PDB file of all heavy atoms in Angstrom:
ATOM      1  N   LEU A  98    -116.121-163.455-145.657  1.00 94.00           N
ATOM      2  CA  LEU A  98    -116.691-162.664-146.744  1.00 94.00           C
ATOM      3  C   LEU A  98    -115.637-161.752-147.363  1.00 94.00           C
ATOM      4  O   LEU A  98    -115.651-161.520-148.576  1.00 94.00           O
ATOM      5  CB  LEU A  98    -117.877-161.821-146.211  1.00 94.00           C
ATOM      6  CG  LEU A  98    -118.955-161.469-147.244  1.00 94.00           C
ATOM      7  CD1 LEU A  98    -120.287-161.250-146.576  1.00 94.00           C
ATOM      8  CD2 LEU A  98    -118.568-160.263-148.047  1.00 94.00           C
ATOM      9  N   TYR A 227    -122.974-163.447-155.098  1.00 89.00           N
ATOM     10  CA  TYR A 227    -122.577-164.807-154.820  1.00 89.00           C
ATOM     11  C   TYR A 227    -122.489-165.606-156.116  1.00 89.00           C
ATOM     12  O   TYR A 227    -123.372-165.521-156.971  1.00 89.00           O
ATOM     13  CB  TYR A 227    -123.561-165.486-153.864  1.00 89.00           C
ATOM     14  CG  TYR A 227    -123.207-166.933-153.583  1.00 89.00           C
ATOM     15  CD1 TYR A 227    -122.178-167.254-152.708  1.00 89.00           C
ATOM     16  CD2 TYR A 227    -123.874-167.970-154.230  1.00 89.00           C
ATOM     17  CE1 TYR A 227    -121.828-168.568-152.452  1.00 89.00           C
ATOM     18  CE2 TYR A 227    -123.543-169.302-153.983  1.00 89.00           C
ATOM     19  CZ  TYR A 227    -122.533-169.593-153.102  1.00 89.00           C
ATOM     20  OH  TYR A 227    -122.180-170.895-152.862  1.00 89.00           O
ATOM     21  N   GLN A 250    -121.797-172.803-147.111  1.00 94.00           N
ATOM     22  CA  GLN A 250    -123.186-172.498-146.758  1.00 94.00           C
ATOM     23  C   GLN A 250    -123.261-171.309-145.843  1.00 94.00           C
ATOM     24  O   GLN A 250    -124.141-170.442-145.987  1.00 94.00           O
ATOM     25  CB  GLN A 250    -123.837-173.714-146.099  1.00 94.00           C
ATOM     26  CG  GLN A 250    -125.317-173.533-145.797  1.00 94.00           C
ATOM     27  CD  GLN A 250    -126.140-173.188-147.024  1.00 94.00           C
ATOM     28  OE1 GLN A 250    -126.017-173.828-148.062  1.00 94.00           O
ATOM     29  NE2 GLN A 250    -126.963-172.156-146.919  1.00 94.00           N
ATOM     30  N   ASP A 251    -122.351-171.223-144.890  1.00 93.00           N
ATOM     31  CA  ASP A 251    -122.325-170.072-143.975  1.00 93.00           C
ATOM     32  C   ASP A 251    -121.953-168.791-144.717  1.00 93.00           C
ATOM     33  O   ASP A 251    -122.502-167.707-144.427  1.00 93.00           O
ATOM     34  CB  ASP A 251    -121.339-170.319-142.837  1.00 93.00           C
ATOM     35  CG  ASP A 251    -121.818-171.385-141.875  1.00 93.00           C
ATOM     36  OD1 ASP A 251    -123.019-171.704-141.896  1.00 93.00           O
ATOM     37  OD2 ASP A 251    -121.001-171.892-141.084  1.00 93.00           O
ATOM     38  N   LEU A 252    -121.051-168.891-145.683  1.00 93.00           N
ATOM     39  CA  LEU A 252    -120.720-167.723-146.500  1.00 93.00           C
ATOM     40  C   LEU A 252    -121.951-167.236-147.272  1.00 93.00           C
ATOM     41  O   LEU A 252    -122.225-166.053-147.326  1.00 93.00           O
ATOM     42  CB  LEU A 252    -119.592-168.078-147.487  1.00 93.00           C
ATOM     43  CG  LEU A 252    -119.337-167.047-148.594  1.00 93.00           C
ATOM     44  CD1 LEU A 252    -118.720-165.787-148.020  1.00 93.00           C
ATOM     45  CD2 LEU A 252    -118.444-167.638-149.682  1.00 93.00           C
ATOM     46  N   LYS A 253    -122.664-168.187-147.854  1.00 92.00           N
ATOM     47  CA  LYS A 253    -123.863-167.839-148.616  1.00 92.00           C
ATOM     48  C   LYS A 253    -124.883-167.137-147.702  1.00 92.00           C
ATOM     49  O   LYS A 253    -125.509-166.157-148.089  1.00 92.00           O
ATOM     50  CB  LYS A 253    -124.481-169.085-149.225  1.00 92.00           C
ATOM     51  CG  LYS A 253    -125.590-168.814-150.236  1.00 92.00           C
ATOM     52  CD  LYS A 253    -126.040-170.099-150.911  1.00 92.00           C
ATOM     53  CE  LYS A 253    -127.107-169.823-151.959  1.00 92.00           C
ATOM     54  NZ  LYS A 253    -127.542-171.076-152.622  1.00 92.00           N
ATOM     55  N   SER A 254    -125.019-167.645-146.482  1.00 91.00           N
ATOM     56  CA  SER A 254    -125.924-166.991-145.504  1.00 91.00           C
ATOM     57  C   SER A 254    -125.437-165.591-145.176  1.00 91.00           C
ATOM     58  O   SER A 254    -126.242-164.667-145.024  1.00 91.00           O
ATOM     59  CB  SER A 254    -126.008-167.848-144.243  1.00 91.00           C
ATOM     60  OG  SER A 254    -126.561-169.117-144.518  1.00 91.00           O
ATOM     61  N   ASP A 255    -124.121-165.434-145.009  1.00 89.00           N
ATOM     62  CA  ASP A 255    -123.559-164.102-144.748  1.00 89.00           C
ATOM     63  C   ASP A 255    -123.935-163.125-145.849  1.00 89.00           C
ATOM     64  O   ASP A 255    -124.317-161.958-145.584  1.00 89.00           O
ATOM     65  CB  ASP A 255    -122.022-164.178-144.646  1.00 89.00           C
ATOM     66  CG  ASP A 255    -121.527-164.906-143.432  1.00 89.00           C
ATOM     67  OD1 ASP A 255    -122.334-165.106-142.494  1.00 89.00           O
ATOM     68  OD2 ASP A 255    -120.340-165.270-143.391  1.00 89.00           O
ATOM     69  N   ILE A 256    -123.790-163.578-147.107  1.00 89.00           N
ATOM     70  CA  ILE A 256    -124.058-162.705-148.238  1.00 89.00           C
ATOM     71  C   ILE A 256    -125.558-162.364-148.311  1.00 89.00           C
ATOM     72  O   ILE A 256    -125.932-161.211-148.567  1.00 89.00           O
ATOM     73  CB  ILE A 256    -123.557-163.363-149.539  1.00 89.00           C
ATOM     74  CG1 ILE A 256    -122.034-163.457-149.525  1.00 89.00           C
ATOM     75  CG2 ILE A 256    -124.044-162.586-150.771  1.00 89.00           C
ATOM     76  CD1 ILE A 256    -121.437-164.222-150.696  1.00 89.00           C
ATOM     77  N   GLU A 257    -126.400-163.362-148.074  1.00 88.00           N
ATOM     78  CA  GLU A 257    -127.847-163.116-148.108  1.00 88.00           C
ATOM     79  C   GLU A 257    -128.251-162.156-147.009  1.00 88.00           C
ATOM     80  O   GLU A 257    -129.078-161.265-147.220  1.00 88.00           O
ATOM     81  CB  GLU A 257    -128.592-164.457-147.962  1.00 88.00           C
ATOM     82  CG  GLU A 257    -128.455-165.359-149.189  1.00 88.00           C
ATOM     83  CD  GLU A 257    -129.048-166.728-148.956  1.00 88.00           C
ATOM     84  OE1 GLU A 257    -129.378-167.057-147.773  1.00 88.00           O
ATOM     85  OE2 GLU A 257    -129.157-167.507-149.919  1.00 88.00           O
ATOM     86  N   TYR A 258    -127.663-162.316-145.824  1.00 84.00           N
ATOM     87  CA  TYR A 258    -127.976-161.424-144.702  1.00 84.00           C
ATOM     88  C   TYR A 258    -127.499-159.995-144.997  1.00 84.00           C
ATOM     89  O   TYR A 258    -128.220-159.033-144.758  1.00 84.00           O
ATOM     90  CB  TYR A 258    -127.331-161.936-143.423  1.00 84.00           C
ATOM     91  CG  TYR A 258    -127.531-161.026-142.242  1.00 84.00           C
ATOM     92  CD1 TYR A 258    -128.731-161.054-141.521  1.00 84.00           C
ATOM     93  CD2 TYR A 258    -126.524-160.144-141.829  1.00 84.00           C
ATOM     94  CE1 TYR A 258    -128.930-160.210-140.453  1.00 84.00           C
ATOM     95  CE2 TYR A 258    -126.721-159.306-140.739  1.00 84.00           C
ATOM     96  CZ  TYR A 258    -127.930-159.351-140.051  1.00 84.00           C
ATOM     97  OH  TYR A 258    -128.119-158.496-138.993  1.00 84.00           O
ATOM     98  N   SER A 259    -126.294-159.887-145.545  1.00 81.00           N
ATOM     99  CA  SER A 259    -125.745-158.546-145.819  1.00 81.00           C
ATOM    100  C   SER A 259    -126.533-157.821-146.888  1.00 81.00           C
ATOM    101  O   SER A 259    -126.633-156.599-146.889  1.00 81.00           O
ATOM    102  CB  SER A 259    -124.268-158.658-146.244  1.00 81.00           C
ATOM    103  OG  SER A 259    -124.148-159.315-147.489  1.00 81.00           O
ATOM    104  N   ALA A 260    -127.160-158.583-147.810  1.00 78.00           N
ATOM    105  CA  ALA A 260    -127.965-157.973-148.866  1.00 78.00           C
ATOM    106  C   ALA A 260    -129.227-157.323-148.321  1.00 78.00           C
ATOM    107  O   ALA A 260    -129.833-156.461-148.964  1.00 78.00           O
ATOM    108  CB  ALA A 260    -128.311-159.007-149.920  1.00 78.00           C
ATOM    109  N   GLN A 261    -129.625-157.706-147.108  1.00 78.00           N
ATOM    110  CA  GLN A 261    -130.827-157.151-146.493  1.00 78.00           C
ATOM    111  C   GLN A 261    -130.564-155.859-145.743  1.00 78.00           C
ATOM    112  O   GLN A 261    -131.507-155.195-145.277  1.00 78.00           O
ATOM    113  CB  GLN A 261    -131.449-158.182-145.550  1.00 78.00           C
ATOM    114  CG  GLN A 261    -131.865-159.477-146.246  1.00 78.00           C
ATOM    115  CD  GLN A 261    -132.271-160.559-145.254  1.00 78.00           C
ATOM    116  OE1 GLN A 261    -132.392-160.311-144.063  1.00 78.00           O
ATOM    117  NE2 GLN A 261    -132.518-161.764-145.761  1.00 78.00           N
ATOM    118  N   GLU A 262    -129.308-155.517-145.575  1.00 71.00           N
ATOM    119  CA  GLU A 262    -128.980-154.283-144.848  1.00 71.00           C
ATOM    120  C   GLU A 262    -129.377-153.069-145.658  1.00 71.00           C
ATOM    121  O   GLU A 262    -128.972-152.909-146.812  1.00 71.00           O
ATOM    122  CB  GLU A 262    -127.481-154.265-144.533  1.00 71.00           C
ATOM    123  CG  GLU A 262    -127.022-155.411-143.660  1.00 71.00           C
ATOM    124  CD  GLU A 262    -125.514-155.418-143.450  1.00 71.00           C
ATOM    125  OE1 GLU A 262    -124.843-154.597-144.093  1.00 71.00           O
ATOM    126  OE2 GLU A 262    -125.037-156.246-142.683  1.00 71.00           O
TER     127      GLU A 262
END
Side-chain angles (χ1 to χ4, degrees):
L98 207 154
Y227 177 77
Q250 184 57 48
D251 289 344
L252 168 70
K253 191 174 182 180
S254 298
D255 291 345
I256 293 174
E257 290 173 349
Y258 177 80
S259 67
Q261 299 172 7
E262 298 176 355

